[in-house]
Amino acid sequence: MSQILKAGNKCLSIGKTYYSVFGAQEKDLKDLDLKINDKNIVRVESCKYLGIFIDSKLSWQQHIDFVYKKIIKFTSIFYKIRTKINSELLKTLYFAFVYPHILYGIEIYGNTYHTYLSRLEILNNKILRIVQKKPKRTHTIDLYKFCGTFPLLLLHNYQILLLLHKYVHHPNKLPSVFRSYFMQNQSIHNYDTREKCNMHLVAPHTAYGKRVIKYKGSQLWNNLPETLKLIRSMDTFKTALKDFLLNTW
């Protein structure tokens, strides 16, 4: 039986507790001996948390492979039923059984290199072609416009922009940790400029720094048209943002 450590109202099962080391100092900590109540805590290179595989290098490759294996079976399923039902119903089935796996956590796992995402995106494109009964030569943009959604990298940006919209217009709908995560220019100075409602940007010094959501999200928000940034309604913003991204893709 796993030993249980109680801390206030929380319980920690030591037998089910692991740790990982992230960042540049990972090699320097290879001999780290971590214990709780004289029990060794096992170090792992990845773990599943809230349905997402987190690896020590934050490459998200394991989670991308996990999603790939979840949806690849639908390739043959949709192929077998494509002649029996129309494209609208096939699209409904796609959004019910495939899309949720891709969407869940895209804000996180989509923040990686395109080469890591390409395998999953190619598979998704294939499923969309089957769903829409389109030939291989069909342009990718047409596949996504028919379904009103985006390829993975654009979907990642879309979800991040929804986060920024909440931060600007509905911070009470965000977890407390995100309510001060970003910073607007107007909190730095009081100048009445066109950019006062933009996010404050601090130039990163590394390629990884450019991928941090605080920087990437701020940059994406600042690049939106002013008319979009002023929309308060979340539903209206979603529709307008989707149209903008599809038309500027």
Side-chain angles (χ1 to χ4, degrees):
M1 183 180 292
S2 300
Q3 183 175 347
I4 304 295
L5 178 66
K6 292 187 176 181
N9 295 324
K10 307 286 184 180
C11 290
L12 179 67
S13 176
I14 298 177
K16 297 179 180 179
T17 301
Y18 307 94
Y19 79 94
S20 289
V21 178
F22 304 94
Q25 305 301 318
E26 181 183 355
K27 293 181 180 178
D28 298 334
L29 298 173
K30 62 181 180 180
D31 297 323
L32 180 64
D33 187 17
L34 187 61
K35 294 184 179 182
I36 298 179
N37 284 1
D38 293 325
K39 297 289 184 180
N40 286 319
I41 304 302
V42 177
R43 178 174 174 176
V44 296
E45 293 303 314
S46 67
C47 66
K48 190 178 183 182
Y49 182 69
L50 298 179
I52 295 179
F53 284 94
I54 307 172
D55 62 274
S56 60
K57 298 184 184 302
L58 298 180
S59 70
W60 309 109
Q61 290 186 78
Q62 185 173 353
H63 184 75
I64 291 168
D65 288 342
F66 172 73
V67 177
Y68 185 95
K69 291 173 184 176
K70 279 280 187 179
I71 69 172
I72 192 172
K73 62 185 177 184
F74 291 101
T75 305
S76 59
I77 292 173
F78 283 129
Y79 191 81
K80 289 175 182 176
I81 65 175
R82 78 192 190 287
T83 58
K84 304 183 187 304
I85 56 180
N86 62 45
S87 292
E88 282 297 329
L89 182 52
L90 284 169
K91 184 171 77 170
T92 300
L93 293 174
Y94 167 82
F95 277 105
F97 296 105
V98 177
Y99 186 72
H101 292 297
I102 293 172
L103 181 65
Y104 183 72
I106 187 71
E107 303 94 325
I108 300 170
Y109 80 82
N111 195 22
T112 187
Y113 299 106
H114 184 257
T115 50
Y116 296 163
L117 281 172
S118 61
R119 179 166 170 255
L120 180 59
E121 187 160 271
I122 289 170
L123 174 60
N124 191 44
N125 293 347
K126 182 177 182 179
I127 294 174
L128 287 175
R129 284 192 180 92
I130 296 171
V131 165
Q132 297 173 46
K133 306 176 184 179
K134 299 290 186 181
K136 288 184 178 180
R137 66 179 180 275
T138 304
H139 201 288
T140 304
I141 189 172
D142 294 329
L143 297 174
Y144 285 93
K145 282 188 173 181
F146 174 79
C147 286
T149 185
F150 309 106
L152 271 62
L153 284 175
L154 208 54
L155 182 61
H156 167 69
N157 292 345
Y158 174 75
Q159 291 297 117
I160 291 176
L161 284 167
L162 296 186
L163 172 67
L164 266 294
H165 182 268
K166 285 183 181 178
Y167 175 83
V168 173
H169 296 293
H170 309 285
N172 59 310
K173 294 183 179 181
L174 287 175
S176 57
V177 68
F178 284 112
R179 291 175 191 171
S180 59
Y181 187 68
F182 303 97
M183 185 179 296
Q184 287 182 282
N185 283 337
Q186 61 187 358
S187 65
I188 304 296
H189 59 73
N190 295 319
Y191 305 125
D192 190 17
T193 65
R194 226 174 66 181
E195 297 181 351
K196 69 177 183 179
C197 293
N198 279 358
M199 295 297 139
H200 181 64
L201 280 173
V202 178
H205 299 293
T206 63
Y208 178 79
K210 293 180 181 179
R211 289 168 46 209
V212 172
I213 299 300
K214 181 179 288 189
Y215 177 81
K216 178 190 278 188
S218 297
Q219 193 175 47
L220 288 170
W221 179 264
N222 291 352
N223 289 334
L224 286 180
E226 291 299 315
T227 51
L228 271 179
K229 288 185 279 191
L230 293 174
I231 297 173
R232 290 190 56 82
S233 165
M234 176 58 82
D235 289 338
T236 304
F237 178 75
K238 283 182 177 180
T239 302
L241 178 61
K242 188 171 288 186
D243 289 341
F244 171 75
L245 292 177
L246 284 173
N247 289 326
T248 56
W249 177 15

